[in-house]
Amino acid sequence: MSELPDIIFVDDDPKAGELMMRFSEDAPFNCHVFQDPEAALKYFSSDGADLIVSDLRMPSLTGTELLKEIRQLNKDVPFIIITGYANVDNAIEAIRLGASDFIKKPFDMDELQVLIEKNLGVQQLIEENRRLKKQLKGTAPGGMIGNAPSIKDIYRIIEKIADIRCNIIIEGESGTGKELVARAIHEQSQFADQPFVVIDCGSLSDTLLESELFGHEKGAFTGAHQAKQGFLEVATGGTVFLDEIGNISDAMQTKLMRAIQEKQITRVGGTQPIDIDVRFIVATNRDLEQMVIDSEFRHDLYHRLNVIKITMPPLRERRTDIPLLVEHFISHFNETYNRDIKGFDSESMQKLVDHDWPGNIRELQNLVEKNIALADGKIMHLNEVSSLRGETGIDSDLPTLAELEKRYIYKTLNRFNNSREKTAETLGINKSTLWRKLQSYNKPDE
């Protein structure tokens, strides 16, 4: 027999709570009664519930305010508002803000039970639909590929945290698939229909990054001919993915910290605060904890972001997944280039499995793409058109000057742990030029 659903009943009137407790003794649900809405919110945050019934007018936190807080944690849980006849307009406003139903005082307890059972039935359909969608997506979330124990651990973490609107740090070497994990978290969540916004912090100057994050008002700076929403405003209700978070300046760290803490932004050149509701997922190939110790990253921002930390394994630690990834890339690039390549010969495949892949999945993807583009037959041999980097050098296959430049840029990026600032300085170009070149290479997701 399945467990009974849990409901939360919130009313500052102790008599109403006592009546609800007596009534629920024989009802087909478990009832948790609270007089203090703050205590009810704390309980829901830790234990959850299948439905909430709340009075509209309460001290410290009104029913509408409680509803807003609950919706930041869970956008689907049914929320029934209890209101007096004089406050029907307020109840309608609560419906607009996400309440699922309301009931007017005085009411019959049987009437409330009908309302509760109706809303629980709707919630059950929502949960069943979500469960079926996850089944259709398979065991690997968000199109991720791999069966190695280390990557399966990542799948389990994604499943646990997808619906929790907490901030997340994803660490790992360049090319391990950090953005793919961020997308998987968002797509597996109950907020998947809300925006998912990606911002590459490493490719933008402070001024441009501030404008992109917070938006700007008309006339805020030269060229600001009209007001523009920032990505944090656009992404409200969804997820913002900040890539290369370790590369932002101290000044930008301070501004970002304030936005996360206050859940508000102010556009560049503006004065009006704008509320935001965003889950922050950030990625870095640097050791943020060490950066905090070295005073290179703000400790308060780090601890705000580091609610959950996911560390992506490098490809050399999940070699059993290399054949699966190769098969996936072959299928993808066969379609891209209208080819009919069957795969690598066994000796070449063994070389792929044995290689350490300093560029990780991105490097493997680039190698497969190049081999498919240049292969003469349906079975590919590594010695036909390319060699694994490190065995015979960067230019053993007589590449073009453009290809040599591309390889040298990636080699320099790897040398400086994907720091675009240091790479651009070493190459003698500015960061915007480096960014454009990387974009032209059709750089895969982190």
Side-chain angles (χ1 to χ4, degrees):
M1 184 176 178
S2 60
E3 295 182 1
L4 294 177
D6 287 319
I7 75 165
I8 291 175
F9 182 86
V10 192
D11 196 317
D12 60 311
D13 182 356
K15 292 183 178 179
E18 291 172 7
L19 179 61
M20 187 65 186
M21 283 299 294
R22 289 199 302 270
F23 172 75
S24 62
E25 288 177 357
D26 299 320
F29 50 76
N30 298 316
C31 186
H32 307 273
V33 172
F34 296 89
Q35 290 178 241
D36 179 6
E38 295 276 6
L41 179 60
K42 184 177 180 181
Y43 177 88
F44 183 82
S45 299
S46 61
D47 294 273
D50 299 294
L51 180 142
I52 299 166
V53 181
S54 174
D55 194 20
L56 184 62
R57 303 190 66 177
M58 297 178 292
S60 78
L61 203 65
T62 67
T64 303
E65 291 169 337
L66 176 61
L67 169 63
K68 289 180 180 178
E69 294 291 335
I70 292 292
R71 281 292 171 257
Q72 289 193 29
L73 298 170
N74 188 309
K75 72 170 187 175
D76 289 328
V77 63
F79 195 107
I80 300 172
I81 286 284
I82 301 173
T83 180
Y85 280 104
N87 295 314
V88 171
D89 288 343
N90 290 336
I92 294 173
E93 173 66 9
I95 294 290
R96 188 185 69 79
L97 292 172
S100 50
D101 231 321
F102 73 93
I103 188 169
K104 293 180 289 188
K105 293 180 179 177
F107 56 83
D108 183 88
M109 294 304 292
D110 290 332
E111 179 186 358
L112 177 60
Q113 179 171 333
V114 169
L115 204 58
I116 288 172
E117 291 179 357
K118 182 192 82 171
N119 279 276
L120 284 174
V122 171
Q123 178 68 1
Q124 186 176 0
L125 288 174
I126 292 172
E127 293 296 334
E128 179 67 12
N129 185 50
R130 186 179 298 146
R131 184 184 65 80
L132 290 172
K133 283 183 177 179
K134 286 187 176 182
Q135 283 184 352
L136 288 173
K137 289 180 180 179
T139 56
M144 297 180 67
I145 295 170
N147 293 316
S150 58
I151 206 68
K152 283 187 173 181
D153 287 341
I154 303 295
Y155 298 162
R156 284 190 285 270
I157 293 172
I158 291 172
E159 185 177 358
K160 286 182 179 180
I161 67 175
D163 286 337
I164 303 174
R165 288 185 69 74
C166 61
N167 297 329
I168 300 163
I169 294 176
I170 306 174
E171 291 186 339
E173 295 178 9
S174 177
T176 49
K178 296 185 287 292
E179 183 177 332
L180 191 62
V181 172
R183 288 186 182 276
I185 293 170
H186 178 78
E187 290 172 4
Q188 292 291 304
S189 76
Q190 58 184 314
F191 313 100
D193 57 341
Q194 300 299 314
F196 178 84
V197 176
V198 178
I199 304 170
D200 186 350
C201 300
S203 65
L204 303 174
S205 66
D206 263 19
T207 302
L208 187 53
L209 180 59
E210 182 178 12
S211 176
E212 292 293 295
L213 284 173
F214 306 123
H216 61 256
E217 298 292 354
K218 182 179 180 181
F221 48 81
T222 303
H225 301 302
Q226 60 184 13
K228 175 188 173 184
Q229 285 185 313
F231 283 137
L232 298 186
E233 189 177 346
V234 170
T236 287
T239 302
V240 165
F241 175 65
L242 301 178
D243 198 8
E244 296 189 22
I245 188 70
N247 290 349
I248 67 175
S249 69
D250 186 68
M252 276 306 305
Q253 290 177 36
T254 301
K255 293 173 182 178
L256 182 59
M257 171 64 197
R258 189 176 300 119
I260 294 173
Q261 183 172 307
E262 299 177 1
K263 297 183 180 179
Q264 284 186 335
I265 60 169
T266 302
R267 292 179 183 170
V268 177
T271 58
Q272 184 66 35
I274 300 170
D275 292 335
I276 60 170
D277 171 21
V278 169
R279 169 163 60 183
F280 288 89
I281 302 180
V282 304
T284 177
N285 62 1
R286 306 175 69 182
D287 186 340
L288 286 186
E289 190 169 356
Q290 185 60 48
M291 290 180 69
V292 170
I293 294 172
D294 296 339
S295 300
E296 296 178 357
F297 199 85
R298 290 181 62 96
H299 68 90
D300 49 0
L301 176 57
Y302 174 74
H303 291 300
R304 281 283 179 179
L305 294 171
N306 189 30
V307 179
I308 300 291
K309 181 185 288 184
I310 297 174
T311 302
M312 292 299 296
L315 190 54
R316 62 184 173 275
E317 293 180 6
R318 43 180 295 214
R319 296 180 188 273
T320 56
D321 287 335
I322 290 175
L324 291 174
L325 289 163
V326 169
E327 182 181 355
H328 168 74
F329 293 141
I330 289 174
S331 175
H332 172 74
F333 290 119
N334 269 339
E335 184 175 346
T336 301
Y337 295 118
N338 193 27
R339 303 299 301 273
D340 185 26
I341 304 300
K342 300 304 182 184
F344 288 95
D345 66 273
S346 58
E347 183 179 352
S348 296
M349 180 60 74
Q350 189 60 51
K351 287 183 179 180
L352 296 178
V353 172
D354 291 341
H355 189 56
D356 278 345
W357 300 107
N360 292 292
I361 298 172
R362 182 191 301 122
E363 183 184 359
L364 175 63
Q365 179 175 352
N366 287 345
L367 181 139
V368 173
E369 178 180 12
K370 182 174 182 178
N371 273 268
I372 285 181
L374 300 178
D376 293 325
K378 293 187 176 183
I379 301 298
M380 297 181 291
H381 310 279
L382 286 178
N383 59 1
E384 281 186 354
V385 292
S386 68
S387 299
L388 290 173
R389 185 171 60 192
E391 288 185 351
T392 54
I394 194 171
D395 57 351
S396 62
D397 53 326
L398 300 178
T400 63
L401 285 175
E403 176 64 21
L404 268 176
E405 179 190 69
K406 173 181 175 181
R407 295 186 194 182
Y408 190 67
I409 285 175
Y410 277 127
K411 184 176 182 179
T412 309
L413 272 171
N414 283 327
R415 178 183 175 187
F416 292 113
N417 293 321
N418 214 35
S419 169
R420 295 188 182 184
E421 183 174 357
K422 291 180 180 178
T423 298
E425 181 180 351
T426 301
L427 295 174
I429 59 178
N430 58 45
K431 285 200 299 183
S432 60
T433 300
L434 175 60
W435 180 81
R436 285 195 297 272
K437 286 182 178 296
L438 291 172
Q439 290 294 104
S440 72
Y441 303 153
N442 190 25
K443 179 184 175 184
D445 294 338
E446 289 273 53

